[in-house]
């Protein structure tokens, strides 16, 4: 039911088929790495995957335990190992999703792990090996940073069975996501408002750190407030009109006639 993500959906089917056929084998391994920019559906797919593997009889529970690198690391000596172990125990029989996992190696040049990050990695790698098949670890984050993490610590690379790369959504897919978001809230777009909304989305697509579906939801949250202000005394009006989008542009100081700063492209406009 998710919009787009065709290659991801096919890969999930392959993972399910592999897991059903090979569960119980000595080298059975479910650990994964999700590459992708923010808002591309990594967490949602992980949540769905946990249910799929449970329904297929591969995992004993349909649960997803979400954390990040800092949820594994302690703040003082002696805290990290038990904290990491506790989070793993919480996820056993299900999925442990570690967002921005590359933060385990710290910001230092060359990706040198911090002492606490190193300790968390050591515990995590041991449990990924010792409890293979009992739970699934999903390491997630930006592609470049995650690739660096796997290179810095070959232990991860040898334990990660599947790599799924989440593409950015297209303009059309983001439009469908926006419509779905509004339908769930009981609203709809006027045609001209929808086209202008897509232009706004395109403006943000050319800015650094574009967050895909997350950016779309943030824009719509502001647009809905504009619509609510316009229809404050009209409870039955659930339509997003062009003026609601225009008000958003005015509030944000955005001029669509002036191209946004590009993502390092070279050329002429």
């Amino acid at each position: 039911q998710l919009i787009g993500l065709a290659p991801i959906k096919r890969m999930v089917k392959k993972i399910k088929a592999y897991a059903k056929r090979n569960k119980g084998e000595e080298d059975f391994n479910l650990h994964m790495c999700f590459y992708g920019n923010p808002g591309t559906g990594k967490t949602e797919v992980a949540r769905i995957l946990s249910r799929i593997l449970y329904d297929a009889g591969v995992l004993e529970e349909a649960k997803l335990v979400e954390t990040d690198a800092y949820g594994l690391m302690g703040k003082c000596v002696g805290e990290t190992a038990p904290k990491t172990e506790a989070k793993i125990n919480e996820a056993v029989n299900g999925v442990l999703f570690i967002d921005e996992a590359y933060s385990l190696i710290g910001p230092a040049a060359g990706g040198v792990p911090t002492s606490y990050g190193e300790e968390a990695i050591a515990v995590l790698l041991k449990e990924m090996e010792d409890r293979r098949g009992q739970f699934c670890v999903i390491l997630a984050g930006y592609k470049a940073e995650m690739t660096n993490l796997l290179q810095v610590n070959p232990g991860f690379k040898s334990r990660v069975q599947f790599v799924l790369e989440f593409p950015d959504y297209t303009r059309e897919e983001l439009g469908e996501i926006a419509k779905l978001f509004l339908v769930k809230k009981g609203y709809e777009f006027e045609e001209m408002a929808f086209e202008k909304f897509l232009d706004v989305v395109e403006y943000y697509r050319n800015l650094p750190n574009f967050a895909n579906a997350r950016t779309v939801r943030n824009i719509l949250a502001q647009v809905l407030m504009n619509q609510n202000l316009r229809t404050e005394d009209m409870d039955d009006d659930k339509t997003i009109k062009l003026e609601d989008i225009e008000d958003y542009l005015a509030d944000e100081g955005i001029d669509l006639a002036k191209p946004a700063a590009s993502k390092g492209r070279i050329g002429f406009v």
Side-chain angles (χ1 to χ4, degrees), residues 246-258:
E246 297 285 3
D247 286 343
Y248 171 83
L249 292 171
D251 291 341
E252 298 297 319
I254 294 174
D255 183 354
L256 294 180
K258 296 179 180 179

Side-chain angles (χ1 to χ4, degrees), residues 7-199:
I8 300 298
K9 291 173 181 176
R10 174 165 172 75
M11 191 63 187
V12 167
K13 290 179 181 178
K14 290 168 72 174
I15 291 170
K16 176 186 176 184
Y18 159 83
K20 288 174 66 177
R21 180 64 62 89
N22 295 281
K23 181 187 176 185
E25 295 292 328
E26 186 177 348
D27 60 349
F28 181 62
N29 178 3
L30 282 174
H31 305 313
M32 310 176 198
C33 190
F34 284 8
Y35 297 155
N37 290 325
T40 49
K42 297 186 296 296
T43 306
E44 185 61 25
V45 168
R47 189 173 292 116
I48 293 170
L49 185 57
S50 70
R51 296 199 299 267
I52 289 174
L53 293 175
Y54 167 74
D55 290 341
V58 177
L59 293 176
E60 293 185 17
E61 297 181 53
K63 69 178 177 181
L64 179 77
V65 175
E66 295 181 47
T67 187
D68 56 19
Y70 302 101
L72 303 178
M73 296 187 290
K75 295 182 179 179
C76 60
V77 175
E79 277 190 2
T80 295
K83 188 174 182 180
T84 302
E85 194 72 49
K87 190 61 69 174
I88 291 169
N89 288 336
E90 184 183 349
V92 166
N93 298 325
V95 175
L96 176 61
F97 182 83
I98 307 174
D99 199 14
E100 298 182 351
Y102 49 79
S103 298
L104 286 166
I105 62 173
V112 179
T114 63
S115 58
Y116 297 148
E118 236 173 16
E119 189 177 359
I121 288 172
V123 174
L124 184 60
L125 288 175
K126 184 177 186 304
E127 295 298 335
M128 287 171 71
E129 183 67 26
D130 292 350
R131 302 197 198 186
R132 233 176 0 179
Q134 297 178 34
F135 77 124
C136 166
V137 172
I138 299 178
L139 307 169
Y142 293 108
K143 181 177 181 179
E145 286 84 347
M146 292 304 297
T147 301
N148 186 48
L149 172 64
L150 298 185
Q151 290 174 343
V152 167
N153 196 307
F156 276 131
K157 193 169 185 179
S158 66
R159 288 166 175 79
V160 170
Q161 175 83 337
F162 306 102
V163 174
L164 284 72
E165 186 168 350
F166 287 67
D168 286 336
Y169 289 107
T170 65
R171 173 187 172 106
E172 292 72 22
E173 288 169 346
L174 290 169
E176 291 304 309
I177 289 170
K179 286 181 177 179
L180 184 60
F181 178 87
L182 289 184
V183 166
K184 289 179 178 178
K185 290 186 170 292
Y187 290 83
E188 63 180 359
F189 276 113
E190 181 185 65
E191 184 175 349
M192 290 180 64
F194 181 62
E195 291 303 318
K196 179 65 74 171
F197 171 80
L198 290 180
D199 291 340

Side-chain angles (χ1 to χ4, degrees), residues 223-260:
V223 168
L224 281 174
M225 283 194 280
N226 291 339
Q227 196 275 353
N228 294 162
L229 177 61
R230 177 176 58 79
T231 63
E232 186 174 3
D233 299 317
M234 303 159 57
D235 293 338
D236 59 339
D237 190 334
K238 296 286 188 177
T239 302
I240 303 295
K241 296 190 175 180
L242 180 60
E243 60 191 281
D244 301 322
I245 310 295
E246 297 285 3
D247 286 343
Y248 171 83
L249 292 171
D251 291 341
E252 298 297 319
I254 294 174
D255 183 354
L256 294 180
K258 296 179 180 179

